[in-house]
Amino acid sequence: MLSIENLHVNVGDKPILKGLNLQIKAGEVHAIMGPNGAGKSTLSHVLSGKSGYTVTAGNVTYQGENLLDLEPDERARKGVFLAFQYPVEIPGVSNIYLMKAALNAIRKHKGLPEVDAMDFLTLVKDKVKLLEMDEKFLYRSVNEGFSGGEKKRNEILQAAILEPSLCILDETDSGLDIDALKVVAAGVNSLRAEDRSFLMITHYQRLLDYIKPDIVHVLADGKIVKSGGPELALELEAKGYRWVEEQVA
Amino acid sequence: MSADQIISQYPAEYAKFADALPGQSVAWLRLLRQDAAQQFSAHGFPSLREEAWRYTNVSAIEKKLFSPATSTEIGAIDIDSLNQHLLADAWSVVLVDGHFSASLSMLDGVPDSVTVMNMANALEQKAELLESYFSQAVAAKEHGFVAFNTAWFSDGLFLHVPAKQVLTRPIQILHVVTQAGFMANTRDIIVLEESAEAKVLETFVGCEEAYCSAAVMEVSLAQNADLTLYKLQMEGEKAYHFGGTYVKQARDSRFTHHNFAFGGLLARNDIHTDLNQAAECDLNGLYLGVKRQHIDNHTRINHLQPHAISHELYKGVLNQRAKGVFQGRVLVAEQAQKTDSMMNNRNLLLSDDAEVDTKPQLEIYADDVKCAHGVTVGQLDEQSIFYLQSRCVDKQTARNMLTFAFANEMVEKIKLADLHDQVLEQLLIRFPQVGIQHNWL
């Protein structure tokens, strides 16, 4: 599904990612943990195509294609979804419109007919229930006036509707109380499928109590320094990030 | 400067038509006109040296010496194109080249207690009532446009709503200029007595050649009265526009203004309001500039007494070589404790050559007040563009959506459905490159 080889990324002149390697197979759930400043968000931004980052070396192949050659919207149409750490408010553009437009863009890309307004509403209302959201959020402007938890739920709602192949969750758990976290995790778990992969970026081990990863990676100083099973997250929890950083040093 | 130096050619030119001006038999008005003409002769149109005019050069109006239209052949007007600007469910006063057209206006069914008539007629029938309101909210010495207007206005609207009367339909004043080189110079007086309510729309349209349209409106709101005033300025591409709206608000009264400045080569709006105790004003504005348009909005809110509330939001979208000006002044008098005032001006510059000069000014002499102001001048937010792209929207469409959403916020505030659709239509026409889709909303 996704193959990252020797990825080096700069922000300005400053190297942030320094030779990152990662292989994600279809259906796998990978968690990337690491201290602040390790390059976690840079990784999610580079994969989704945000500007401001310079790839100085390495390759990223997604479904056999060079991902880095594609515009952000092309990546999205081809099934790469980023759940934002800080979802952006878009006053004046309705949430439900954006979701419908995005879904139809993806369907068009797959050669499928567009969904009509009625079918879309049925689909969306189902997913809204799953995420225990109020339907009124559908008709509001994108993220405008949403609380932090509502914004994160809205991101997962979009993932549930768009059914991406590669779902990148950028600190989706940060700032959520335990009830909200359970709802968001249930939403993510319902999306797990054989042909869908997840890359979860998180600072907190707590998320992994609710979404069980297949593989846990530790990112420090721009590289993956350790990979293992879910037990690695527990070890990290017990010993702290300093343990990893000491091993790197 | 010698005393006999001629500052403006207009007084000599307009003196020729003085006999045709309305209200020449009304003594108080004759005096006002004389005084204003002297004022104008001495100072002319405002110059860049005046603080309130330093960003807006109106010298072209002097050079062009626009002539007054003394009468208009109604036959020259495309009635169908006029009708598209009229609200379906409104009483209307149509002013063609500054003169009332009874045949184009619609005043059937206005309640007997309410006065809606053209100014020339009102000066014949209601001169005594008018005297209490004329030149009360603004005086000729304000600046050259007000002096000029007072001296030589040709017609306008007089609206008087008695106490507790709530108008069931909006009143629309449609200003049309049909010919090149004309100056339409009109004066409106709106009076709402205690607890009266009304909605008024001013619409400005005109031909594609150079002309000037200048309208001065004085509004008097008695205690607890409520006026919503809409202005839709869609002058022709080569037109000069001046619009002055001067409001006096008695205790507990409410004034809501929606100012859409879309047309004209050079357009200037003055909106001033005086707030007495617990009065409230809500000033909304949207200006869209393309090509070489220059659009200047100048607002002044005077908090004179305690507990008054003012909210102001002006938004501008400037493209190509257009220039916008926003000068917003809020004055809080010493006794105006518990004032609540919020002023915001947000500008979107879509090209490197577009420009905006924005100047919010707070002058606060009271010590227990809540006052805030904010100004932004910028391009589209890159974060927002990326977010939309990550949801499959291509970059150009993302830019278009954000531009449209920015402007549309002001359109969504319109409460008259018919007018809302008209203004939305204008937004769609004026940004054709945006490829707006209705379902973005």
Side-chain angles (χ1 to χ4, degrees):
Chain A
M1 175 75 69
L2 183 75
S3 166
I4 303 176
E5 287 166 6
N6 190 34
L7 185 63
H8 285 73
V9 175
N10 282 14
V11 174
D13 290 338
K14 196 180 174 208
I16 305 290
L17 297 183
K18 305 167 185 174
L20 187 140
N21 293 292
L22 183 64
Q23 307 289 326
I24 301 179
K25 297 199 182 86
E28 287 181 348
V29 176
H30 289 235
I32 292 195
M33 304 187 66
N36 289 324
K40 301 192 301 292
S41 283
T42 297
L43 177 61
S44 73
H45 290 159
V46 169
L47 293 179
S48 51
K50 191 175 181 182
S51 60
Y53 300 90
T54 315
V55 177
T56 54
N59 297 308
V60 179
T61 312
Y62 166 73
Q63 293 182 338
E65 203 172 355
N66 182 354
L67 186 68
L68 301 177
D69 279 351
L70 304 174
E71 288 295 313
D73 49 298
E74 292 176 297
R75 300 181 197 197
R77 284 192 287 274
K78 289 175 187 243
V80 177
F81 180 89
L82 171 66
F84 281 58
Q85 181 180 4
Y86 304 112
V88 182
E89 299 191 4
I90 318 266
V93 176
S94 91
N95 205 19
I96 191 162
Y97 168 73
L98 183 61
M99 285 189 266
K100 179 161 172 270
L103 177 62
N104 279 331
I106 289 168
R107 289 180 64 89
K108 199 173 159 196
H109 177 78
K110 288 179 178 166
L112 297 169
E114 297 197 347
V115 287
D116 68 28
M118 286 307 288
D119 289 346
F120 182 72
L121 209 56
T122 313
L123 167 73
V124 128
K125 286 188 173 175
D126 253 14
K127 307 290 185 188
V128 162
K129 252 180 238 143
L130 173 72
L131 285 152
E132 299 180 20
M133 284 173 75
D134 192 324
E135 275 183 29
K136 72 175 188 242
F137 287 110
L138 293 173
Y139 301 99
R140 300 240 301 250
S141 290
V142 177
N143 292 321
E144 194 182 36
F146 290 24
S147 71
E150 285 154 359
K151 284 180 182 170
K152 296 291 178 82
R153 284 183 206 207
N154 198 42
E155 294 293 285
I156 305 305
L157 172 68
Q158 295 179 36
I161 288 162
L162 302 181
E163 302 188 315
S165 303
L166 173 64
C167 190
I168 303 164
L169 307 176
D170 189 358
E171 304 220 11
T172 296
D173 54 319
S174 302
L176 293 184
D177 65 34
I178 191 70
D179 294 330
L181 178 64
K182 284 178 182 170
V183 171
V184 164
V188 172
N189 286 328
S190 76
L191 282 171
R192 293 178 76 151
E194 279 180 11
D195 56 354
R196 182 170 300 130
S197 309
F198 289 84
L199 181 59
M200 294 192 294
I201 289 168
T202 181
H203 188 72
Y204 303 107
Q205 186 274 334
R206 185 186 65 161
L207 174 69
L208 311 185
D209 294 340
Y210 297 94
I211 306 173
K212 281 275 167 267
D214 299 305
I215 300 168
V216 175
H217 308 275
V218 180
L219 180 63
D221 195 29
K223 285 182 201 167
I224 302 247
V225 294
K226 213 170 173 58
S227 301
E231 70 287 348
L232 178 57
L234 294 171
E235 198 174 352
L236 266 179
E237 171 93 337
K239 297 183 178 169
Y241 285 122
R242 181 159 292 188
W243 165 65
V244 186
E245 286 170 323
E246 279 163 5
Q247 288 198 326
V248 177
Chain B
M1 190 182 289
S2 67
D4 56 356
Q5 188 175 344
I6 294 169
I7 286 176
S8 172
Q9 305 176 73
Y10 277 85
E13 179 69 14
Y14 277 61
K16 298 176 197 162
F17 303 96
D19 290 347
L21 292 174
Q24 287 300 67
S25 60
V26 179
W28 60 261
L29 181 62
R30 246 190 359 256
L31 283 173
L32 276 178
R33 284 197 192 265
Q34 276 168 18
D35 178 55
Q38 276 171 16
Q39 186 82 24
F40 184 82
S41 299
H43 301 286
F45 288 111
S47 84
L48 293 169
R49 287 192 300 277
E50 293 173 49
E51 182 59 25
W53 291 84
R54 59 184 287 198
Y55 301 109
T56 298
N57 185 347
V58 300
S59 59
I61 297 175
E62 174 61 43
K63 287 193 198 97
K64 287 186 185 288
L65 191 59
F66 293 112
S67 53
T70 45
S71 69
T72 293
E73 297 291 323
I74 297 296
I77 304 168
D78 179 352
I79 306 281
D80 287 341
S81 77
L82 266 196
N83 282 339
Q84 65 173 338
H85 300 302
L86 288 169
L87 292 186
D89 189 33
W91 288 304
S92 60
V93 167
V94 180
L95 299 165
V96 180
D97 300 326
H99 296 276
F100 176 63
S101 163
S103 61
L104 296 174
S105 304
M106 207 298 282
L107 292 168
D108 298 344
V110 175
D112 289 342
S113 55
V114 176
T115 303
V116 191
M117 58 173 69
N118 64 303
M119 184 58 78
N121 195 9
L123 284 165
E124 308 246 319
Q125 296 182 28
K126 308 262 179 185
E128 213 170 311
L129 181 60
L130 272 172
E131 186 181 4
S132 330
Y133 300 104
F134 216 101
S135 277
Q136 296 300 307
V138 68
K141 67 177 190 307
E142 175 74 18
H143 57 58
F145 281 102
V146 179
F148 187 93
N149 185 278
T150 307
W152 295 294
F153 72 88
S154 58
D155 211 332
L157 166 89
F158 178 46
L159 168 64
H160 180 272
V161 186
K164 291 192 279 182
Q165 182 102 33
V166 176
L167 287 190
T168 52
R169 295 188 191 187
I171 307 260
Q172 181 176 14
I173 316 164
L174 176 57
H175 298 260
V176 193
V177 179
T178 61
Q179 291 184 52
F182 273 8
M183 160 92 90
N185 196 27
T186 53
R187 185 74 162 228
D188 307 316
I189 302 272
I190 293 179
V191 180
L192 268 56
E193 301 288 5
E194 186 178 327
S195 300
E197 290 182 29
K199 293 179 174 58
V200 176
L201 163 64
E202 298 176 90
T203 303
F204 293 86
V205 294
C207 64
E208 287 311 308
E209 302 305 320
Y211 65 87
C212 185
S213 179
V216 170
M217 174 184 278
E218 294 186 84
V219 177
S220 169
L221 301 181
Q223 281 194 28
N224 202 42
D226 190 315
L227 175 69
T228 303
L229 178 65
Y230 296 94
K231 173 169 177 171
L232 181 49
Q233 188 271 93
M234 304 178 287
E235 305 280 17
E237 267 188 29
K238 295 179 182 166
Y240 295 82
H241 175 91
F242 172 78
T245 305
Y246 305 92
V247 187
K248 283 183 103 65
Q249 294 189 242
R251 187 181 176 133
D252 301 321
S253 64
R254 295 167 302 281
F255 173 59
T256 306
H257 196 221
H258 299 272
N259 177 10
F260 295 95
F262 293 164
L265 178 64
L266 187 154
R268 159 79 174 221
N269 291 306
D270 279 10
I271 296 108
H272 294 184
T273 182
D274 286 346
L275 299 169
N276 283 290
Q277 185 160 340
E280 191 170 342
C281 78
D282 197 351
L283 305 185
N284 303 289
L286 174 65
Y287 44 102
L288 302 181
V290 294
K291 297 180 184 170
R292 287 178 174 275
Q293 273 185 290
H294 178 109
I295 304 175
D296 180 355
N297 287 294
H298 190 101
T299 68
R300 189 160 83 205
I301 299 168
N302 294 322
H303 283 262
L304 302 175
Q305 297 290 334
H307 296 288
I309 300 170
S310 64
H311 284 146
E312 177 168 16
L313 175 59
Y314 265 70
K315 282 187 161 190
V317 182
L318 300 159
N319 208 349
Q320 293 150 344
R321 306 185 70 84
K323 181 171 171 177
V325 179
F326 174 80
Q327 293 194 78
R329 189 166 157 213
V330 175
L331 183 141
V332 181
E334 197 177 343
Q335 66 271 33
Q337 302 293 3
K338 304 291 179 188
T339 285
D340 179 349
S341 172
M342 166 72 95
M343 171 169 51
N344 268 302
N345 175 226
R346 310 216 172 283
N347 297 283
L348 203 51
L349 300 183
L350 297 181
S351 83
D352 291 342
D353 296 321
E355 184 184 332
V356 68
D357 291 299
T358 172
K359 196 168 121 186
Q361 286 173 283
L362 295 181
E363 280 176 58
I364 303 171
Y365 299 100
D367 53 18
D368 183 12
V369 301
K370 196 168 84 185
C371 290
H373 71 281
V375 166
T376 56
V377 177
Q379 282 80 41
L380 293 167
D381 177 33
E382 289 297 325
Q383 292 277 1
S384 303
I385 294 172
F386 175 61
Y387 188 86
L388 290 172
Q389 281 192 282
S390 78
R391 300 301 179 256
C392 307
V393 178
D394 68 82
K395 194 165 191 170
Q396 189 55 49
T397 305
R399 298 182 65 87
N400 295 345
M401 285 174 91
L402 293 170
T403 306
F404 179 65
F406 177 85
N408 189 51
E409 183 192 357
M410 304 315 288
V411 181
E412 289 306 301
K413 290 175 186 278
I414 299 174
K415 300 248 169 58
L416 302 172
D418 204 6
L419 179 63
H420 170 274
D421 295 349
Q422 268 193 21
V423 178
L424 184 61
E425 195 60 39
Q426 285 300 315
L427 205 59
L428 301 177
I429 291 167
R430 281 164 203 277
F431 282 93
Q433 76 278 28
V434 164
I436 295 161
Q437 294 177 30
H438 281 81
N439 57 6
W440 287 351
L441 312 178

